[in-house]
């Protein structure tokens, strides 16, 4: 039997000389080597594949086989999994592997994993020899629709998340939805928060496609056709924003929808109780309440957003929080300017506004209204 090679769709990220494609399709991982050749890298180039055991087990060999078939000389660095590994010390380990493998300016790092691997490998690539190429091969839904696209790389500082980093665009993003088959269901749900985010901030068609589907709680519920649509439309939304505002001068901040209040929830629960996407879901519910109370969107639209989030199984309610701690946390947000917190607020499904004139007490009240004790 002759096997047909998988066909991939392309979402371009139009950044002039730094432009690159997001290539999406089942079986894409087996085309890794070919896809890198197609981006102009020559056989013989040295490649460092950075991954972790959760991903290396099911996918490491396939990725390296594809690289070898295309004539690349690859080595693998398998790091420990987890957000607590996202530190300068781990990036030093990647630098050491780059040194041992004698990576040169024309060499390449492949990030095979979720957002943690992608952010660290991307940052190591941004800083090795003042910048070598990186290819992102995301294996979580969150990384496929968000982290792998757009060139934000970095690690955490004891004082806060992602405080150390660089903008470094990848040469290619290769998305194989089949890798989601091994992803824990809770991680898939967390990725769905970012998908709903794109619907609310930029893509009413995506929002309606999700609304028109039954349960959205698991991979089996989504099915291959909706999953493909989710990946393409989310990548398109992100690519459009990044192309318009690569370094977050203004527009790119809309990607932080749900993140400001979500960040409060993450911080005040010590980053242990919620996955990032779960906190973003709560943050979007709170931002929806805030927007309605400010008269920016309707109660009906707010209810649609809440119902969609509920159908993914994501949390809707913040845990009980101390008002004073919330105030303090909001004022310490990275994006505070002159004591004003910037909020991304929906004006209808598919459109948002950036506002820095929202009274802190209104934001606090919106977050508190999500909590079970006060709703
Ligand atoms: P993650 O990378 O920690 O992955 C979640 C878990 O799933 C990990 O345990 C991982 O080992 C495991 N895993 C990954 N792929 C798997 C697979 N296919 N099968 C089985 N297990 C798998 O988490 P994440 O949600 O992908 O990324 C979160 C990180 O991304 C955070 O550090 C966040 O700051 C960052 N982020 C960056 C950007 C950006 O623009 N650079 C955007 C959003 C988030
Ligand atoms: N995840 C937000 C951004 O890429 O800007």
């Amino acid at each position: 039997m002759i096997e047909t090679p998988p066909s991939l769709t392309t979402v371009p990220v139009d950044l002039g000389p730094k432009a690159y494609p997001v290539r999406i399709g089942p079986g894409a991982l087996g085309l890794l080597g070919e896809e890198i050749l197609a981006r102009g890298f020559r056989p013989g180039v040295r490649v460092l594949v950075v991954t972790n055991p959760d991903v290396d087990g099911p996918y490491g060999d396939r990725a390296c086989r594809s690289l070898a078939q295309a004539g690349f000389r690859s080595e693998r660095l398998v790091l420990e999994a987890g957000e607590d590994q996202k530190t300068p010390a781990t990036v030093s380990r990647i630098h050491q592997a780059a040194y041992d493998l004698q990576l040169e300016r024309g060499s390449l790092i492949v990030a095979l994993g979720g957002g943690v691997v992608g952010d660290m490998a991307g940052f190591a690539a941004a800083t090795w020899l003042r910048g070598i190429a990186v290819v992102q091969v995301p294996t979580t839904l969150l990384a496929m629709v968000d982290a792998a696209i757009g060139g934000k790389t970095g690690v955490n500082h004891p004082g806060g998340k992602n405080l150390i980093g660089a903008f470094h665009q990848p040469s290619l993003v290769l998305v194989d939805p089949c890798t989601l088959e091994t992803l824990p269901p809770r991680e898939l749900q967390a990725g769905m928060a970012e998908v709903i985010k794109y619907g609310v901030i930029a893509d009413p068609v995506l929002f309606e496609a999700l609304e028109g589907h039954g349960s959205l709680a698991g991979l089996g519920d989504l099915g291959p056709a909706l999953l493909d649509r989710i990946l393409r439309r989310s990548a398109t939304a992100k690519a459009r924003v990044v192309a318009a505002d690569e370094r977050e001068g203004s527009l790119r901040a809309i990607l932080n929808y749900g993140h400001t209040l979500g960040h409060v929830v993450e911080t005040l629960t010590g980053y242990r109780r919620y996955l990032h996407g779960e906190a973003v879901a709560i943050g979007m519910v709170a931002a929806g309440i805030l927007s309605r109370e400010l008269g920016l969107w309707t109660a009906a639209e707010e209810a649609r957003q809440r119902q969609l989030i509920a159908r993914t199984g994501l949390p809707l309610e913040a845990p009980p929080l101390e008002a004073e701690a919330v105030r303090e946390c909001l004022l310490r947000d990275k994006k505070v300017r002159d004591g004003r917190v910037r909020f991304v607020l929906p004006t209808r499904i598919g459109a948002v506004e950036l506002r820095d004139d929202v009274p802190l007490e209104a934001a606090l009240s919106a977050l508190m209204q999500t909590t079970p004790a006060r709703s």
Side-chain angles (χ1 to χ4, degrees):
M1 196 175 83
I2 300 170
E3 280 194 27
T4 328
S7 69
L8 308 185
T9 50
T10 303
V11 174
V13 185
D14 293 322
L15 281 167
K18 288 187 280 179
Y20 55 94
V22 181
R23 300 271 287 155
I24 306 168
L29 187 60
L31 299 179
L32 176 62
E34 267 180 55
E35 289 288 317
I36 293 175
L37 286 177
R39 295 295 298 143
F41 293 88
R42 288 209 294 276
V45 159
R46 290 198 187 113
V47 180
L48 175 64
V49 178
V50 180
T51 186
N52 76 25
D54 299 336
V55 180
D56 185 46
Y59 310 113
D61 286 347
R62 205 179 314 161
C64 289
R65 210 166 35 242
S66 174
L67 289 168
Q69 279 163 359
F72 294 109
R73 294 189 286 162
S74 71
E75 291 280 338
R76 235 180 287 185
L77 176 64
V78 184
L79 302 167
E80 280 172 54
E83 182 72 31
D84 59 349
Q85 297 297 311
K86 213 175 106 170
T87 62
T90 313
V91 171
S92 288
R93 286 188 58 200
I94 306 177
H95 286 153
Q96 186 60 45
Y99 178 81
D100 294 342
L101 194 57
Q102 297 178 10
L103 292 194
E104 302 164 353
R105 281 260 160 81
S107 305
L108 178 67
I109 291 181
V110 169
L112 176 66
V116 167
V117 163
D119 278 10
M120 290 193 298
F123 186 55
T127 43
W128 184 248
L129 302 179
R130 299 196 176 87
I132 66 168
V134 63
V135 165
Q136 294 282 354
V137 186
T139 61
T140 62
L141 181 60
L142 184 136
M144 290 176 183
V145 299
D146 188 359
I149 307 168
K152 279 190 183 176
T153 72
V155 294
N156 302 327
H157 178 272
K161 268 194 72 169
N162 299 324
L163 291 183
I164 305 164
F167 285 98
H168 186 58
Q169 298 296 338
S171 300
L172 165 71
V173 181
L174 190 66
V175 177
D176 186 343
C178 298
T179 59
L180 296 177
E181 279 162 21
T182 52
L183 188 69
R186 192 175 163 202
E187 296 287 350
L188 187 92
Q189 280 177 354
M192 283 302 291
E194 302 287 355
V195 173
I196 293 173
K197 175 190 83 176
Y198 291 120
V200 176
I201 67 172
D203 190 346
V205 174
L206 174 61
F207 191 96
E208 280 159 25
L210 297 173
E211 269 185 325
H213 203 78
S215 167
L216 300 166
L219 196 60
D221 297 324
L222 298 180
L226 182 63
L227 180 60
D228 179 62
R229 208 162 174 209
I230 283 172
L231 294 174
R232 281 188 291 113
R233 292 199 80 99
S234 300
T236 304
K238 175 126 193 200
R240 218 181 305 130
V241 173
V242 168
D245 179 22
E246 183 191 2
R247 297 178 82 90
E248 203 167 312
S250 58
L251 179 74
R252 188 164 176 167
I254 70 171
L255 298 174
N256 296 325
Y257 176 55
H259 285 57
T260 305
L261 292 167
H263 186 230
V264 170
V265 172
E266 271 181 306
T267 308
L268 296 183
T269 53
Y271 288 95
R272 279 183 301 273
R273 177 161 172 180
Y274 298 100
L275 296 176
H276 175 69
E278 293 169 339
V280 168
I282 297 166
M284 290 194 293
V285 172
I289 294 170
L290 182 56
S291 212
R292 171 181 42 79
E293 293 198 331
L294 294 173
L296 294 174
W297 77 345
T298 63
E301 283 168 306
E302 186 216 332
R304 282 175 69 193
Q305 173 187 259
R306 178 190 283 268
Q307 279 155 15
L308 190 55
I309 295 172
R311 293 232 320 280
T312 61
L314 283 160
L316 302 166
E317 296 165 338
L321 300 168
E322 285 296 324
E324 197 43 44
V326 173
R327 273 187 211 103
E328 249 182 59
C329 191
L330 275 171
L331 287 169
R332 264 192 277 117
D333 190 279
K334 260 188 284 189
K335 279 127 196 149
V336 172
R337 297 273 179 282
D338 303 326
R340 288 166 185 271
V341 185
R342 189 169 51 177
F343 287 95
V344 184
L345 295 175
T347 52
R348 60 183 157 79
I349 301 289
V352 282
E353 272 180 12
L354 287 171
R355 299 287 290 253
D356 61 6
D357 59 349
V358 177
L360 208 60
E361 292 309 307
L364 176 71
S365 152
L367 186 60
M368 294 306 199
Q369 284 179 59
T370 70
T371 66
R374 296 171 200 239
S375 57

